[in-house]
Amino acid sequence: MESSPPSVLARATALRSEGRHAAGGREALARGIVAHPRVVVATWCVILAVAVPFALRLGGVAQGGSESIRGSESNLVLRTCNREFGPGAALPAQVVVTSETLAVADPRYAEMVARLTRELSADARVGSVLHTWNSGLPELVGRDGRSTLLLVTSREDSLIGVESFTGTLRDLLARSELPAGVQARVTGMSAMFYDLNRRSSAELLRAEMVGVPLTLGVLLLVFRTALAAGLALVVAGAAVTLSSAFLYLANPWLPTSLMAQNVVTMIGLGAGTDYALFLLSHQRRERAAGRSAEEALVRALAEAGPAVLVAGLAVAGGFAALFLVNARFLHSLALGGVAVIAGAVGITLTLLPALLRLSGDRVFSRGLARADEANGAWSRWTHAVMRRPWVCLIAAVMLAGAWAWPAWRTEAWRVNPRDLPEEEESRQGFEVLARHFQPGWTGPTVLTLEAIGEKSLWDPEGQRAAVAITEELRRQPLVAEVLGFGRLLEALGPARGLIRDRTMLPPAIQPLAATAISADGRTALLVAVPRVYPEHGAAVEWVQRLRARSWAEAVPAGARVRIGGGSAIIHDFDVEMFRSIGRVMLAVVGLTFGLLLLYFRSVAVPLKAIVANLLSVFAAYGFLVLVFQDGHGAAWLGVQPTGGLNSFVILMLFTILFGLSMDYEIFLLSQVRDEFRRRGDNTDSVATGVAVTAGVITSAAAVMVCLFGSFGFFGLTATRQFGLGLAFAVAFDATIVRLLIVPATMRLLGRWNWWLPVWNEPTVDRPGVSIEARAAGDQGAPGTS
């Protein structure tokens, strides 16, 4: 007899009683669905027919994911520039014009740029065009003498809007009749993200073309019938369709990011297939036990339905936690994630049973006899683990710790132009900037100098402050060029002391002045062009040092300095992602604990599940650090080491992995709990639960690994980090965690697995009375526990 904690025997009895009561209600609902399959199918056909047109339009409205973190210093600079200098003033697109034959000094070159400027300015979506001929800035001429840089502002006031403007600007340039041998390429941070997002969407399609056939192959191996495999993919496809339509309809209130569209497809295919696989396996097991097709389906839906629902809530909770992050593009991703999981659960519990009822035994015509073939092997494995639980647990935890340990030295890595393929226009334009201009032109650092109170920056103190800050910026080793108000004042020379208003400036420098100081003279811009691209670690660290300065030069003028621009936006984004990880983790863990506590009516089960899932997540982080940061195995996997992990990938991996890993935990422990209700024996319950679910969990994990792994071998570095991290974590969870850690800990905890503190409990433990007898109300029959 196993030792029992206080009140555990009563809890086992209560679990059995609760299970019988709940099962009756579930079976009644299941019979209602199974009894009217044509009505259910017809209803879903109408719903999907309405959803498809909206889902197909999502690609036309989905936007990029560029965003300035609201309330951050870079966001304040952006808003100040939009207010004082017009929308898009702080985020000009860089158009690199190159000629194979014409020199910039040739009058025909100037005439060509002037004509191009007129054509662009004629479009209402273009704000301004600045070049060396209308600004007098020699920095806008390349060192080769055949290239020049145009700074084109849009009328968009957000990063997402400016990113979308890239496509508009390229269309305008394509319609311009440039001379032979002349090219105009749009580049810069916004153009890079524009190309990055569209490239990611294209690579997603390529990955799906590989992952979906592999998934179909796994399903065929499991069920041996194309009908069963096809039904699982129907669930996944329908869930993706519904969520895509939902995102399109919600777009006016919460703009959909391209990342949300991609993640909805990826998670919908994986989770939808998993949930369908779980229900199909339950039905096959019931049919193998000799029940009729209808009864097997009812039993499968009644038993598997709650587990699918709770598993879906766990994944949806992870996505919902993204609303805690101060980034709107993640909110659309969270909304899409919740929607696709809700769709997958709803379709699995309604449409799939109806289709199975109509299909009859054709679903398992050749696979029914194989339902329990592997159970014996899995049962022997589980008993072997539980005979030496400490040895297995320590070995598994040490292995998990070895994988997870590198995660503690994770470094941040940021996408940069050279992560794009060479054929992308923004990459080509960047290479021209790097050769003939400065790489920092893709995202210069922007400083705002704002007068406080009634002061004006045209006052002598304000002018001295602007010039002094400009000189200080020039002394920075990382800075190649400094433009803006200070540079304008230097160009004016002694005459600047006579200027009290922008209108007093010579007409020739009015275009430049309009980008340097506001009309009221109280806000000025200073633009520093670094020698490295804005995503470079040195540029980001330099921005942090600038922000740490007190800027004593501005004190006599009664002005304040704020730091924005490319590197500042990237830094603030990284800070928000890393700061959010803590609160997102707490929210996900807390929600998961509460959900499992209510579902399993146990304290130990949720705690153990959370610890096991954290091991999987951090093992995945460690794997990515070893591959992408340290370069171990990178060549074998066909990836380029980056020296770190993307902050967005780190956050997203946790929210998605924790929920997906919890799916397998719920599927396994639901079966263990059901066995414990029937048997009251912990060891046998665990062995049977693992034996029954090991096959379906392994198959589900194989599906996930195929889908996610396909993303790891296609596309851009960030996408590969995401795909390989998901694939590794799922494989680790389905093997080390489910086959070693779970059975070992369940054996060591014994009946404490199902302990729940109950106050004022009416049932009193009475030694010698069996669980079965108590459940039946027999007060006197002896028994053993």
Side-chain angles (χ1 to χ4, degrees):
M1 179 187 298
E2 298 181 17
S3 61
S4 303
S7 201
V8 169
L9 293 178
R11 280 297 304 139
T13 305
L15 279 173
R16 188 171 184 178
S17 177
E18 292 168 4
R20 286 177 173 175
H21 178 73
R26 294 196 302 268
E27 286 193 13
L29 180 61
R31 289 186 190 281
I33 295 172
V34 173
H36 305 92
R38 288 182 173 81
V39 174
V40 175
V41 172
T43 302
W44 272 110
C45 286
V46 171
I47 294 173
L48 290 172
V50 172
V52 165
F54 295 111
L56 293 175
R57 296 177 195 170
L58 181 62
V61 299
Q63 300 175 337
S66 304
E67 185 167 357
S68 176
I69 301 300
R70 289 170 294 173
S72 66
E73 189 169 340
S74 60
N75 181 253
L76 293 175
V77 169
L78 180 62
R79 288 161 54 190
T80 298
C81 291
N82 287 336
R83 182 182 67 248
E84 301 296 338
F85 300 93
L91 301 166
Q94 289 78 35
V95 178
V96 183
V97 180
T98 58
S99 173
E100 297 176 1
T101 56
L102 284 179
V104 174
D106 192 314
R108 290 175 295 174
Y109 203 122
E111 181 182 339
M112 174 189 66
V113 171
R115 179 172 55 80
L116 183 59
T117 301
R118 289 193 299 272
E119 292 174 354
L120 293 176
S121 301
D123 192 281
R125 294 166 291 184
V126 175
S128 64
V129 182
L130 200 68
H131 48 74
T132 187
W133 290 276
N134 64 5
S135 69
L137 294 175
E139 292 88 347
L140 300 182
V141 176
R143 290 185 289 268
D144 63 339
R146 289 196 181 92
S147 56
T148 187
L149 182 61
L150 278 62
L151 304 179
V152 183
T153 63
S154 68
R155 299 191 185 277
E156 301 287 347
D157 59 1
S158 67
L159 286 177
I160 292 179
V162 173
E163 181 184 319
S164 299
F165 176 70
T166 299
T168 300
L169 183 55
R170 285 176 176 168
D171 290 341
L172 293 174
L173 292 171
R175 292 200 295 266
S176 178
E177 297 181 359
L178 296 174
V182 176
Q183 286 185 298
R185 301 180 179 92
V186 181
T187 188
M189 274 183 58
S190 296
M192 180 192 74
F193 284 114
Y194 179 87
D195 290 339
L196 180 72
N197 285 318
R198 275 143 189 81
R199 187 84 184 192
S200 296
S201 296
E203 296 296 350
L204 173 69
L205 183 59
R206 287 183 62 198
E208 288 172 0
M209 292 175 67
V210 173
V212 171
L214 288 175
T215 298
L216 183 60
V218 172
L219 294 172
L220 286 172
L221 286 175
V222 173
F223 294 112
R224 296 294 179 91
T225 67
L227 181 57
L231 288 177
L233 290 179
V234 165
V235 172
V240 171
T241 300
L242 282 179
S243 56
S244 298
F246 178 75
L247 283 177
Y248 173 80
L249 294 173
N251 189 71
W253 295 275
L254 183 61
T256 302
S257 67
L258 284 168
M259 179 58 71
Q261 183 183 16
N262 294 347
V263 168
V264 158
T265 303
M266 184 189 304
I267 299 304
L269 288 173
T273 306
D274 269 11
Y275 299 159
L277 183 62
F278 192 57
L279 181 63
L280 285 163
S281 298
H282 261 70
Q283 186 195 9
R284 186 175 67 174
R285 190 163 63 247
E286 294 294 336
R287 285 290 288 124
R291 293 183 175 85
S292 66
E294 181 176 350
E295 187 63 24
L297 183 55
V298 170
R299 288 286 298 268
L301 186 57
E303 291 184 6
V308 170
L309 178 61
V310 174
L313 288 173
V315 181
F319 278 109
L322 292 176
F323 283 108
L324 299 174
V325 184
N326 183 23
R328 278 179 62 82
F329 86 96
L330 281 180
H331 296 171
S332 70
L333 195 154
L335 189 66
V338 171
V340 76
I341 293 299
V345 171
I347 292 167
T348 300
L349 300 184
T350 56
L351 177 60
L352 180 59
L355 292 173
L356 289 172
R357 179 71 181 90
L358 295 175
S359 300
D361 275 342
R362 287 176 295 170
V363 177
F364 307 118
S365 59
R366 286 181 293 170
L368 192 60
R370 302 178 64 252
D372 295 318
E373 286 181 4
N375 284 9
W378 289 118
S379 180
R380 288 191 295 274
W381 168 269
T382 308
H383 276 293
V385 170
M386 290 193 291
R387 279 195 297 270
R388 298 176 180 81
W390 280 113
V391 173
C392 294
L393 179 61
I394 292 172
V397 170
M398 288 180 64
L399 180 61
W403 278 111
W405 184 255
W408 301 108
R409 52 182 179 82
T410 302
E411 297 289 339
W413 164 78
R414 306 161 188 92
V415 179
N416 66 78
R418 290 201 167 114
D419 290 311
L420 286 167
E422 293 181 356
E423 62 268 22
E424 292 293 340
E425 184 174 332
S426 58
R427 167 70 185 274
Q428 294 174 356
F430 168 77
E431 296 297 348
V432 175
L433 286 179
R435 284 196 308 270
H436 304 311
F437 298 85
Q438 294 293 339
W441 270 114
T442 56
T445 297
V446 178
L447 290 75
T448 55
L449 183 63
E450 300 174 75
I452 301 173
E454 299 302 320
K455 291 180 176 291
S456 170
L457 295 177
W458 288 111
D459 294 341
E461 296 84 0
Q463 293 189 17
R464 284 194 293 270
V467 172
I469 294 173
T470 297
E471 291 173 348
E472 173 60 29
L473 290 173
R474 280 203 193 98
R475 287 193 288 269
Q476 301 288 319
L478 199 69
V479 176
E481 297 155 357
V482 182
L483 310 175
F485 186 49
R487 173 69 175 276
L488 175 67
L489 293 173
E490 290 173 342
L492 291 172
R496 70 189 187 212
L498 303 175
I499 305 297
R500 291 292 177 266
D501 188 271
R502 201 170 73 184
T503 59
M504 299 174 65
L505 294 169
I509 60 173
Q510 284 285 346
L512 179 61
T515 66
I517 186 165
S518 62
D520 62 5
R522 301 184 65 238
T523 303
L525 298 184
L526 304 173
V527 180
V529 181
R531 300 181 189 279
V532 294
Y533 49 82
E535 300 83 7
H536 197 285
V540 175
E541 292 172 5
W542 177 65
V543 163
Q544 296 178 61
R545 292 195 298 271
L546 289 182
R547 288 180 171 176
R549 284 179 55 92
S550 60
W551 294 106
E553 299 90 342
V555 174
R560 66 169 170 239
V561 177
R562 285 195 174 116
I563 315 296
S567 298
I569 291 172
I570 292 167
H571 170 68
D572 291 338
F573 180 85
D574 283 347
V575 168
E576 177 62 24
M577 293 300 106
F578 283 117
R579 283 181 179 173
S580 298
I581 289 175
R583 59 177 177 266
V584 168
M585 282 185 174
L586 286 175
V588 172
V589 169
L591 178 65
T592 302
F593 178 81
L595 183 65
L596 297 189
L597 181 68
L598 291 173
Y599 179 60
F600 287 112
R601 308 287 292 168
S602 163
V603 174
V605 165
L607 290 175
K608 177 176 56 61
I610 287 169
V611 172
N613 276 22
L614 289 175
L615 286 175
S616 296
V617 171
F618 281 95
Y621 285 158
F623 165 76
L624 292 178
V625 168
L626 289 173
V627 174
F628 288 93
Q629 186 168 306
D630 299 341
H632 300 302
W636 184 75
L637 291 172
V639 300
Q640 183 67 35
T642 58
L645 304 184
N646 187 271
S647 61
F648 169 76
V649 171
I650 294 173
L651 177 64
M652 285 303 303
L653 277 177
F654 178 83
T655 57
I656 295 176
L657 281 178
F658 202 85
L660 290 179
S661 297
M662 196 59 69
D663 281 0
Y664 301 148
E665 185 83 14
I666 291 168
F667 294 160
L668 169 58
L669 294 180
S670 294
Q671 189 65 43
V672 172
R673 183 189 59 179
D674 291 344
E675 295 297 329
F676 185 71
R677 282 171 173 168
R678 287 190 286 267
R679 301 164 182 261
D681 183 274
N682 180 69
T683 302
D684 286 346
S685 300
V686 173
T688 303
V690 172
V692 168
T693 61
V696 66
I697 289 177
T698 302
S699 302
V703 168
M704 289 283 196
V705 170
C706 288
L707 283 172
F708 297 150
S710 63
F711 293 95
F713 293 96
F714 290 94
L716 305 167
T717 303
T719 306
R720 291 186 171 193
Q721 287 185 358
F722 196 57
L724 289 176
L726 288 171
F728 177 87
V730 168
F732 186 90
D733 187 84
T735 53
I736 304 303
V737 172
R738 303 300 153 219
L739 298 180
L740 287 174
I741 293 178
V742 170
T745 53
M746 295 287 285
R747 175 66 180 89
L748 292 171
L749 287 172
R751 292 188 182 274
W752 283 99
N753 284 304
W754 309 108
W755 176 73
L756 181 73
V758 179
W759 291 270
N760 300 320
E761 185 178 330
T763 304
V764 179
D765 292 339
R766 289 182 296 279
V769 180
S770 70
I771 296 171
E772 291 76 5
R774 291 180 189 180
D778 184 351
Q779 300 297 315
T784 62
S785 59

